[in-house]
Amino acid sequence: MTEEAEEEVDLSPKTEQQNPHFLRDVIFHGKFRLLKALTPEENTRCQHGLYFQDGQRRVDYVLTYPVKKPAGGRSSRQSTHLLTENAVTRSLRRGPRRHDKHVQYHQAEMARDSSLSPPSSPVVNVELGCPGETFNGQEDQKSFRREEFEGKLRDMGLELEKDEDAKIPGVCFVKIYAPWNVLCREAEFMKLKMPTKRVYEVKQSSNVMEKISSLVSKVLEPLHPHVEEHHPKNIKHLSHTFSREKQHLFDLSDKDYFFDSKTRSSIVFEILKRTKCKAKYSMGITSLLGSGVYTAAYPLHDGDIDEESAEPNDRKLLYEEWANYSVFYKYQPIGLVRKYFGEKIGLYFAWLGLYTQMLIPASLVGVIVFLYGCATVDDNIPSMEICHPKNNITMCPLCDRVCSYWKLSTACGTARASHLFDNPATVFFSIFMALWAAMFMEHWKRRQMRLNYEWDLTGFEDEEDHPRAEYEFRVMQKSLSKHQISQQKMEKLTCQDRLPAYMTNIVMMLLMIGVTFAIVFGVILYRISTKAALHMSSNPITRNHVQLTVKTTAAIINLVVILILDEVYGAVARWLTVLEVPKTDKSFEERLIFKTFILKFVNAFSPIIYIAFFRGRLVGRPGSYLYVFESYRMEECAHGGCLMELCIQLSITMLGKQLIQNNLFEIGIPKLKKLIRFIRSKQGAFQEEERQKKLQRYETDHFLEPFAGLTPEYMEMIIQFGFVTLFVASFPLAPLFALLNNIIEIRLDAKKFVTELRRPVAARAKDIGIWYNILRGVAKVAVIINAFVISFTSDFIPRMVYQYMYSPDGSMHGFVNHTLSYFNVSHFQDGKEPMDPLHLGYPVGICRYKDYREPPWSTTPYEISKEFWAVLAVRLAFVIVFQNVVMLMSDIVDWLIPDIPKDISLQIHKEKILLVDLFMKEEQGKIQILENRASTGGKENCSRSNNNNTMAHPRSGLHTNSF
């Protein structure tokens, strides 16, 4: 509070008569009389809920807990006494001079109110309301733990203010403020880097590349967000770890804004995490939230975003220039995102933005490959042979009994469509995407280093995090069981203690993977039985579209199952991680990510892997088919190959996950949860517009969805990265669909963070953690999978083998006939022959099927032919060569591109030199000051000694004369 405001609060009896029960009115009845003494601007700030009642201390953090409303004036007055006493105690503990008058005033109020109230009235618990009210032991225990915890917070130097008269019934808000001395102390403990007074110019090199880069940046200027920079881009503050002894190095002219709101809230959260209570082994705010002592803990957003009259703030700026679909074509204001949400969230959006930018060239090349397939489909000789009207090749039935013989020419549409995705350009595209993944990883490492430099994280190292509350509780249980609570030896959880959890993890993970495989097998049975049932239909249209119907419905069923199991597996992975009791939050997050990724990866890609590598390979041959449950014949691929079915499955799964899970769920679920919280708060009678006007900032944020971490955001992008890279040989349009999704995803996530979620606690991080290793693993696996897709799923290798080994003229003429084997229909097993053998209008003696086998008139009928072994050898050789060549090229790209940009390396070196120079000048200044003091002190001593000598000489003369 300003000095002028303090002077206006007069403590004379006249003022007491004019302002009776001042503190009670301020806290309980909302008569903000103190605010009338403030300026209109301060009054507005306080009313918005961003400041304490004095309009000076900013709310850095908010805790909430359930409370019963007081039922009488007496209880309100007595609750006022307790709160007033707490306020006086806090003021005495802090001891600033400016609060002395308030302390005297509160004491005067307490003395007068105590004379008005009966002395025998029972003391009321502020949190529970009415006097003499009995409550169960659990609520009493929670109340005691809250009082103890808040007392410890005050001992740590924090200042607290309660608001039980909130407009949300049954919720009490505890507002927390960190004074300057607490911020300085914790900033030094947390080793926060803060900008010093010293600034230097970041000189740009004058080589050709830098000139081109500056030219490009000028051209792209309209794509940059309109975010005001407080200093020129080529000017940077020299940063240094904050120290209370070296405060003179930092610009402390405005202490209120030296630590921004993000830093203040993270400092308070650090105190909340490590403040322990004796009651029930409470290990900080995490334990108290888990046990229900507090219901929520969150920092506040900076202000409103919708109102035109709202004061300018970073949140509103982010909403206008970032969380808005109308600016989808612009770059993200990553610096402002980091300033508001912290480095960890800033790195996520920087990574997502770079990934989206890198998808642009991949999308262009994918579209070119697809268009190449469209342009050459009419020149494709195999599909021309299949579609030729004179083609009278009779194919064997696709199923037993109900299916009959069919003409190969009926597969014309499938063959032409398969060429769109199965052509020589897809091999080039697979190689390109492998190199693209390597370029993306290297580009991100360079971008990450640049951000580390700009955000002063170059010397940041992850420190040992505080042990989690659950871990310390388990350690305490172990100590109590061994009666070692009095010993000095520190207990810890060993592998033997975690062995049951590890065994449960292994069993449950295998069980969940088995469930995924079982569902894939169930969809296989669906396809087989549905195909047989549709072939029996009397409708000719249904019979003609059996393949398309079965493929599409099976893909949709797979999508629905994947979406359901994703939610189940996320909950299972969290439960398994909790069982392990990891020591730190970082360890917990890494283990959770690993389990979730394994389960969701298997869930998303199991149906695709089955179609790509297993379908049509475990079929058998006519007369000796392989059966499941002795009645279901294993399904085989259409003549165009399984690549078309793989493309359908990939496209439906990828688009479905992006549209339904990533976008619809992200929009709908937070809004639904917000609506439920709003209804539960018994505020449903109010209109939304009125409620927004009446509620304070901390009350409005209470209705927002709590921040659940970045794991879901990263996970959906990693799975998408798998769709883009793993099976790109079969679906070259995957990067295009990913790009279109991510353009929406960035703004959707931004809108969610700015408007739908409570403000997360800012967390420092210099990289994206375990996600980078997962990305590298997926990129390596993608090379192998694409090699197998090209070799075994597509017809690329059989076509090459035929053209260069078996074709009489070196062309593709005769390829279709070369890949078909012969079967004598008289060799059908009993009961497996077609029910309508004259379906084509003529008797069939020999039918064809796709395989490399000897004809029935051979000495070894139906045995695998030598062509099969030749094709298999070439396929395996291609896998080995493709994998090694592409990985070698990726390693060359990795070696050629340095991880740290040259200009950043030079700037980091320059900063070190400037820091050394700064400290040397500081030391020289100190030495000079000491020398000046010493010389000044020496002169004073000399003058004093001279004065003493002049005083002593007359005495000596007298003595001489006396002798």
Side-chain angles (χ1 to χ4, degrees):
M1 190 182 297
T2 60
E3 294 294 334
E4 292 80 7
E6 288 185 9
E7 293 298 329
E8 287 184 22
V9 183
D10 193 11
L11 299 179
S12 62
K14 180 180 179 181
T15 307
E16 290 182 3
Q17 293 174 2
Q18 290 177 352
N19 299 310
H21 306 287
F22 171 83
L23 186 63
R24 184 185 64 211
D25 287 341
V26 168
I27 297 177
F28 287 99
H29 301 295
K31 299 178 182 178
F32 300 103
R33 298 187 178 183
L34 179 62
L35 299 182
K36 294 179 181 179
L38 303 177
T39 63
E41 181 184 356
E42 291 172 333
N43 197 344
T44 304
R45 289 190 305 182
C46 183
Q47 286 178 351
H48 286 173
L50 293 172
Y51 290 80
F52 276 28
Q53 298 288 354
D54 56 13
Q56 295 294 313
R57 293 173 291 172
R58 186 181 181 90
V59 178
D60 296 321
Y61 220 87
V62 172
L63 307 178
T64 68
Y65 61 87
V67 62
K68 295 182 181 179
K69 301 299 290 182
R74 177 179 295 179
S75 63
S76 298
R77 182 180 297 130
Q78 291 167 347
S79 299
T80 306
H81 287 173
L82 287 178
L83 285 178
T84 307
E85 186 177 359
N86 289 337
V88 174
T89 307
R90 289 197 303 272
S91 300
L92 289 173
R93 280 176 177 166
R94 288 193 303 267
R97 187 176 178 181
R98 65 179 189 157
H99 290 287
D100 292 345
K101 295 183 178 180
H102 292 293
V103 173
Q104 297 171 16
Y105 183 79
H106 297 330
Q107 289 174 346
E109 286 288 327
M110 290 173 62
R112 191 184 66 244
D113 281 350
S114 62
S115 64
L116 295 176
S117 58
S120 60
S121 58
V123 176
V124 181
N125 190 296
V126 180
E127 298 165 353
L128 297 177
C130 304
E133 184 178 357
T134 59
F135 45 82
N136 56 36
Q138 188 176 5
E139 290 298 323
D140 189 11
Q141 195 176 71
K142 289 180 181 180
S143 173
F144 173 73
R145 293 171 69 181
R146 273 195 297 269
E147 290 179 358
E148 183 186 6
F149 183 71
E150 291 168 12
K152 292 286 185 67
L153 294 181
R154 295 188 186 99
D155 292 341
M156 295 292 290
L158 298 179
E159 299 178 12
L160 278 61
E161 183 179 82
K162 290 189 179 182
D163 183 5
E164 292 186 355
D165 198 26
K167 296 180 179 62
I168 304 176
V171 179
C172 178
F173 294 89
V174 181
K175 295 174 281 187
I176 302 176
Y177 166 76
W180 171 254
N181 61 330
V182 175
L183 293 173
C184 293
R185 181 191 71 207
E186 296 298 322
E188 187 173 349
F189 290 165
M190 296 169 66
K191 300 178 181 177
L192 297 182
K193 267 192 170 183
M194 304 302 294
T196 63
K197 297 177 184 177
R198 179 75 178 272
V199 296
Y200 68 96
E201 183 179 1
V202 180
K203 294 183 179 180
Q204 302 291 337
S205 57
S206 58
N207 56 22
V208 179
M209 292 302 296
E210 288 297 334
K211 290 181 179 179
I212 295 174
S213 178
S214 63
L215 180 62
V216 171
S217 63
K218 289 181 180 178
V219 173
L220 299 178
E221 187 66 29
L223 300 181
H224 290 280
H226 300 295
V227 179
E228 295 182 2
E229 295 289 342
H230 298 290
H231 53 82
K233 291 183 178 180
N234 60 339
I235 298 296
K236 189 177 186 297
H237 278 272
L238 191 64
S239 297
H240 181 61
T241 306
F242 186 82
S243 173
R244 287 173 288 181
E245 296 179 355
K246 295 182 173 60
Q247 290 191 27
H248 58 278
L249 297 178
F250 304 94
D251 184 10
L252 303 180
S253 57
D254 190 355
K255 293 184 178 182
D256 290 338
Y257 294 97
F258 180 74
F259 296 105
D260 56 14
S261 58
K262 168 205 59 164
T263 307
R264 296 176 69 97
S265 62
S266 62
I267 287 175
V268 174
F269 180 68
E270 187 70 18
I271 297 174
L272 293 175
K273 271 202 310 184
R274 71 166 187 260
T275 301
K276 299 182 180 181
C277 294
K278 298 178 182 178
K280 279 285 181 182
Y281 318 121
S282 297
M283 308 298 176
I285 189 62
T286 309
S287 174
L288 296 176
L289 288 170
S291 58
V293 176
Y294 291 99
T295 54
Y298 52 90
L300 297 183
H301 280 293
D302 273 359
D304 294 324
I305 54 175
D306 298 328
E307 298 180 8
E308 295 182 359
S309 59
E311 296 179 5
N313 56 74
D314 289 340
R315 187 190 185 198
K316 188 176 183 180
L317 190 58
L318 283 172
Y319 181 75
E320 294 171 350
E321 295 294 332
W322 182 51
N324 200 330
Y325 294 111
S326 62
V327 295
F328 72 92
Y329 60 92
K330 291 187 177 182
Y331 291 106
Q332 300 181 84
I334 294 299
L336 187 60
V337 174
R338 172 252 178 179
K339 178 187 174 185
Y340 192 76
F341 291 110
E343 287 79 8
K344 195 170 186 179
I345 294 176
L347 280 174
Y348 163 71
F349 281 103
W351 174 84
L352 180 57
L354 180 65
Y355 171 48
T356 305
Q357 291 177 28
M358 291 291 291
L359 283 172
I360 295 175
S363 302
L364 292 175
V365 177
V367 171
I368 292 172
V369 169
F370 179 74
L371 293 177
Y372 170 81
C374 295
T376 58
V377 66
D378 293 330
D379 301 328
N380 183 39
I381 295 176
S383 60
M384 290 170 61
E385 290 182 348
I386 293 174
C387 298
H388 199 278
K390 294 184 179 180
N391 180 10
N392 58 354
I393 297 177
T394 303
M395 302 297 293
C396 297
L398 295 175
C399 61
D400 294 338
R401 301 292 293 167
V402 295
C403 299
S404 186
Y405 306 105
W406 56 285
K407 287 285 189 180
L408 180 60
S409 58
T410 58
C412 175
T414 305
R416 289 173 63 86
S418 296
H419 179 72
L420 302 177
F421 306 99
D422 187 5
N423 56 69
T426 57
V427 180
F428 157 76
F429 190 54
S430 299
I431 298 173
F432 170 81
M433 287 303 295
L435 297 179
W436 173 87
M439 287 284 293
F440 167 58
M441 303 302 293
E442 291 304 309
H443 196 11
W444 168 244
K445 282 197 289 188
R446 291 170 62 84
R447 173 71 169 149
Q448 193 170 254
M449 283 303 303
R450 189 174 294 277
L451 290 176
N452 283 344
Y453 163 72
E454 293 175 357
W455 296 350
D456 298 320
L457 294 171
T458 48
F460 173 72
E461 293 293 336
D462 290 330
E463 299 178 3
E464 185 67 24
D465 200 0
H466 297 292
R468 299 176 65 248
E470 293 82 356
Y471 178 84
E472 291 198 353
F473 182 68
R474 283 287 300 275
V475 169
M476 192 166 294
Q477 282 184 324
K478 181 180 178 181
S479 301
L480 289 173
S481 64
K482 293 185 176 182
H483 304 288
Q484 293 177 346
I485 195 69
S486 60
Q487 298 182 9
Q488 297 296 325
K489 181 182 176 182
M490 281 294 296
E491 283 286 344
K492 64 178 182 179
L493 296 183
T494 61
C495 291
Q496 185 176 358
D497 298 324
R498 292 192 174 103
L499 186 60
Y502 290 152
M503 295 301 298
T504 306
N505 269 261
I506 294 172
V507 172
M508 287 299 297
M509 291 284 285
L510 293 176
L511 178 62
M512 293 297 103
I513 294 173
V515 168
T516 303
F517 291 160
I519 291 174
V520 172
F521 184 68
V523 176
I524 294 171
L525 295 182
Y526 162 80
R527 275 200 293 257
I528 296 170
S529 57
T530 305
K531 185 185 295 183
L534 291 178
H535 274 293
M536 297 173 62
S537 173
S538 59
N539 190 342
I541 298 177
T542 304
R543 290 198 301 270
N544 293 335
H545 297 86
V546 169
Q547 293 288 343
L548 182 62
T549 304
V550 171
K551 293 173 188 175
T552 307
T553 55
I556 293 173
I557 291 172
N558 272 324
L559 171 63
V560 173
V561 170
I562 287 171
L563 294 177
I564 294 173
L565 288 184
D566 265 356
E567 303 301 319
V568 175
Y569 288 165
V572 170
R574 178 168 290 277
W575 173 65
L576 292 176
T577 309
V578 170
L579 283 182
E580 290 184 6
V581 197
K583 183 175 181 179
T584 62
D585 288 330
K586 182 180 179 181
S587 175
F588 181 90
E589 185 180 24
E590 290 180 350
R591 296 185 188 204
L592 175 62
I593 289 170
F594 179 74
K595 294 181 185 63
T596 309
F597 173 74
I598 293 295
L599 292 176
K600 291 193 174 184
F601 184 87
V602 172
N603 182 39
F605 291 102
S606 290
I608 299 170
I609 291 173
Y610 163 73
I611 294 174
F613 302 125
F614 296 99
R615 184 176 178 181
R617 310 191 186 283
L618 305 173
V619 178
R621 60 169 179 83
S624 180
Y625 282 114
L626 180 65
Y627 290 90
V628 181
F629 303 138
E630 298 182 357
S631 58
Y632 294 101
R633 196 175 103 186
M634 287 298 292
E635 54 185 347
E636 52 188 302
C637 296
H639 184 76
C642 283
L643 206 66
M644 191 62 199
E645 295 187 32
L646 179 61
C647 179
I648 292 174
Q649 180 69 54
L650 263 171
S651 58
I652 291 179
T653 304
M654 182 178 180
L655 293 176
K657 276 181 68 66
Q658 290 181 349
L659 292 175
I660 298 174
Q661 189 178 42
N662 298 355
N663 294 333
L664 188 62
F665 284 5
E666 285 190 13
I667 296 173
I669 291 180
K671 289 187 178 295
L672 182 62
K673 290 182 177 179
K674 183 179 178 181
L675 179 63
I676 292 173
R677 279 194 300 272
F678 177 57
I679 294 173
R680 284 181 178 176
S681 68
K682 302 177 183 178
Q683 300 262 339
F686 293 99
Q687 294 181 357
E688 181 72 15
E689 192 173 335
E690 289 186 9
R691 184 178 69 83
Q692 291 291 344
K693 289 181 180 178
K694 290 183 177 181
L695 293 185
Q696 303 280 357
R697 174 82 268 147
Y698 51 86
E699 294 170 327
T700 305
D701 287 0
H702 181 72
F703 287 104
L704 300 179
E705 178 74 7
F707 176 63
L710 289 171
T711 300
E713 315 298 334
Y714 273 114
M715 188 64 66
E716 67 185 59
M717 288 295 108
I718 297 296
I719 297 296
Q720 185 201 83
F721 184 77
F723 282 117
V724 168
T725 56
L726 290 176
F727 294 92
V728 74
S730 61
F731 191 37
L733 294 179
L736 176 63
F737 290 133
L739 173 64
L740 297 176
N741 173 80
N742 287 3
I743 290 173
I744 302 172
E745 179 75 19
I746 289 175
R747 306 303 164 180
L748 181 64
D749 282 349
K751 198 174 185 68
K752 182 175 69 174
F753 272 83
V754 174
T755 63
E756 301 293 336
L757 296 180
R758 291 174 186 163
R759 187 175 182 177
V761 178
R764 289 186 296 169
K766 64 177 182 178
D767 52 38
I768 59 174
I770 192 176
W771 297 111
Y772 182 79
N773 298 327
I774 293 176
L775 281 170
R776 287 189 66 88
V778 171
K780 297 292 184 185
V781 173
V783 176
I784 302 171
I785 288 184
N786 280 301
F788 275 96
V789 167
I790 295 170
S791 295
F792 289 90
T793 309
S794 73
D795 284 337
F796 175 75
I797 299 300
R799 287 197 297 263
M800 295 298 102
V801 171
Y802 174 78
Q803 185 174 0
Y804 295 106
M805 292 180 63
Y806 299 104
S807 176
D809 56 357
S811 68
M812 293 301 296
H813 290 287
F815 171 72
V816 175
N817 187 62
H818 177 76
T819 58
L820 297 177
S821 298
Y822 295 88
F823 178 73
N824 191 334
V825 299
S826 61
H827 296 164
F828 271 121
Q829 294 176 337
D830 293 337
K832 304 297 183 182
E833 66 278 357
M835 296 171 58
D836 185 13
L838 300 177
H839 174 71
L840 296 178
Y842 57 86
V844 177
I846 296 292
C847 66
R848 308 291 293 275
Y849 62 99
K850 190 175 181 180
D851 205 349
Y852 291 102
R853 290 183 181 270
E854 298 291 343
W857 54 82
S858 172
T859 55
T860 55
Y862 307 125
E863 292 295 323
I864 294 175
S865 63
K866 61 180 181 180
E867 288 86 355
F868 172 83
W869 298 111
V871 171
L872 179 61
V874 176
R875 279 174 165 168
L876 293 176
F878 177 84
V879 169
I880 295 171
V881 173
F882 181 90
Q883 172 188 337
N884 287 282
V885 168
V886 172
M887 286 193 174
L888 177 63
M889 295 172 69
S890 300
D891 291 339
I892 291 174
V893 170
D894 191 355
W895 176 71
L896 288 176
I897 302 176
D899 294 345
I900 304 177
K902 187 177 179 180
D903 60 327
I904 296 300
S905 179
L906 293 174
Q907 294 299 334
I908 292 174
H909 181 66
K910 182 179 178 180
E911 276 200 2
K912 291 180 180 178
I913 295 175
L914 289 174
L915 271 176
V916 172
D917 182 53
L918 181 64
F919 284 118
M920 290 298 294
K921 287 183 178 179
E922 180 194 357
E923 291 298 323
Q924 290 175 2
K926 286 182 179 179
I927 293 172
Q928 190 173 1
I929 291 172
L930 291 175
E931 288 177 352
N932 292 337
R933 287 179 179 176
S935 61
T936 306
K939 290 179 180 179
E940 290 178 356
N941 291 334
C942 290
S943 60
R944 287 176 184 173
S945 62
N946 290 334
N947 292 333
N948 292 335
N949 290 334
T950 55
M951 293 290 293
H953 285 163
R955 291 176 185 170
S956 61
L958 289 172
H959 287 296
T960 304
N961 293 335
S962 64
F963 280 102

